[in-house]
Amino acid sequence: MTTRFGLIVRRHRMSTGLSQEGLAGAAGLDRTYISSLERGRRNPTLMTQQRLADALGCTLSSLIHEAEEL
């Protein structure tokens, strides 16, 4: 699930035109964290997942749903 969640975050980030640095800034995270997350090397907490969803302009439930369907 961690790898799938990272792929969904990357898809949303790219579709909104955000760089990893832009998403990191909007979510209050480090760019290297975003890179690791997108490669499936991080297991984000629920709070971090919510911050990412907010920064991407979507709901957390939609991110999780998309990751489950991969």
Side-chain angles (χ1 to χ4, degrees):
M1 182 68 162
T2 302
T3 302
R4 291 182 286 169
F5 186 79
L7 289 173
I8 295 305
V9 168
R10 178 181 289 163
R11 284 184 190 173
H12 277 267
R13 177 181 61 76
M14 294 179 83
S15 73
T16 59
L18 284 172
S19 64
Q20 287 182 343
E21 190 170 328
L23 176 57
L29 302 166
D30 190 83
R31 186 208 53 84
T32 59
Y33 184 90
I34 300 298
S35 176
S36 294
L37 174 76
E38 289 182 353
R39 290 181 286 132
R41 296 178 184 241
R42 292 285 185 161
N43 189 12
T45 64
L46 185 58
M47 180 62 82
T48 299
Q49 291 175 11
Q50 183 62 61
R51 290 165 59 185
L52 289 164
D54 292 343
L56 291 167
C58 61
T59 63
L60 176 54
S61 61
S62 68
L63 288 179
I64 292 171
H65 181 73
E66 287 180 53
E68 288 176 332
E69 290 194 341
L70 267 183

